[in-house]
Amino acid sequence: LTNITDMLVRICSGAQYEDDIECRESCLNVLEALASQRSPILASKAPMILDAADAALRYDPNYVGGDEDDEDLELACDDAEADIGDEGEGWSGSDYSDDADASWKVRRAAVKVCAAVTSAGVLSLNHCIERIGLPLISRANERDETVRVEIFAALEILFSTIAGDREAHLDTPSDEVMADAYTEARHNENSTVVVDGLNAVRARLPLLVRRLRPALTSRSSSIAAGALKLWRALILCLPHDIAPLLQQLVPALVTMSKECAIESRVQILAVISAYISGRTPLCEQ
């Protein structure tokens, strides 16, 4: 398995295979399977697997716009994108030539690898946030619907895992000293607290929220459902940070619940339930 993993990573990262979409997708699918099976070698190979996944996540040869990592620029453009409506979700269509573009298959496979590594639990949560969470947040407005759905699902897994880990170490999550208690309770192998990683997420929270806002009203039921599930995970993971942002959103969610399909209505009610669960004093207002 060690030799196979090394070979797969070399193929995924090799320049000679960069535009061989079917080959790269297949290799990433095998890496996802290895991670899903929690192979004994995964702990030592996870960093190089994530290196390959990160490179594949960025593989978008038809994108001709600016630097996709310039999050300040993206944030500045978000309001204009939101005004466009559903057609304006994600990257601007004028920045692409989509004829026969199948690069989304590579990006989708890369996201699934990230989700599998997160679920396997072989990395500290700080490393998951740094190596998986932050890159996925940067791609949360992915132009391809199938890839964006997978990104929302992978982020949901990460934030739900963090929330569950926090609950395991705190008896009173609504306590005002929650952060201090959690800082003492949760250390990884490098004696770095998970709170450090969450601070990095907090810094990007406005960007992620702006990406999710138009997704809630998407004509795609998959996009809308994925966004709702991610909202709920964010509430459970960062209740004090996300609650102020949700105060203006809750009335819209109530209205949506009266008009949408049953499946989406259930997700909306789950978001509202998490919001009013008493995890933050703002819920009492």
Side-chain angles (χ1 to χ4, degrees), residues 39-147:
S39 168
I41 68 168
L42 182 59
S44 62
K45 295 297 182 181
M48 63 186 298
I49 290 175
L50 289 178
D51 285 339
D54 184 62
L57 186 63
R58 298 170 183 270
Y59 177 65
D60 203 350
N62 284 352
Y63 177 61
V64 295
D67 184 358
E68 69 182 30
D69 290 328
D70 190 348
E71 294 181 354
D72 292 334
L73 178 61
E74 290 180 15
L75 192 56
C77 295
D78 275 338
D79 290 334
E81 289 179 0
D83 291 339
I84 295 174
D86 289 337
E87 296 299 327
E89 293 177 9
W91 303 104
S92 171
S94 61
D95 287 340
Y96 288 91
S97 172
D98 284 331
D99 294 342
D101 179 19
S103 62
W104 61 271
K105 295 181 180 180
V106 173
R107 298 195 300 277
R108 181 184 62 179
V111 177
K112 289 184 175 182
V113 170
C114 292
V117 172
T118 300
S119 298
V122 296
L123 294 179
S124 68
L125 292 181
N126 258 335
H127 285 148
C128 284
I129 292 172
E130 178 184 356
R131 297 299 311 276
I132 297 173
L134 301 187
L136 291 181
I137 289 175
S138 295
R139 293 292 305 193
N141 66 333
E142 160 69 43
R143 63 190 177 98
D144 184 87
E145 176 182 320
T146 57
V147 181

Side-chain angles (χ1 to χ4, degrees), residues 185-233:
R186 182 64 166 92
H187 289 262
N188 65 21
E189 64 274 15
N190 295 321
S191 296
T192 304
V193 294
V194 151
V195 172
D196 292 342
L198 288 180
N199 285 336
V201 173
R202 289 186 179 100
R204 291 161 176 80
L205 195 57
L207 177 68
L208 180 57
V209 167
R210 287 170 182 254
R211 294 302 184 214
L212 286 175
R213 190 187 305 160
L216 289 174
T217 56
S218 172
R219 287 193 297 266
S220 166
S221 59
S222 298
I223 291 290
L228 286 168
K229 292 178 181 178
L230 181 49
W231 268 113
R232 181 178 183 275

Side-chain angles (χ1 to χ4, degrees), residues 224-258:
L228 286 168
K229 292 178 181 178
L230 181 49
W231 268 113
R232 181 178 183 275
L234 280 170
I235 296 171
L236 297 177
C237 180
L238 295 168
H240 294 276
D241 300 273
I242 204 70
L245 301 173
L246 276 173
Q247 280 187 300
Q248 295 179 350
L249 185 67
V250 169
L253 289 175
V254 173
T255 301
M256 288 172 58
S257 68
K258 301 175 182 179

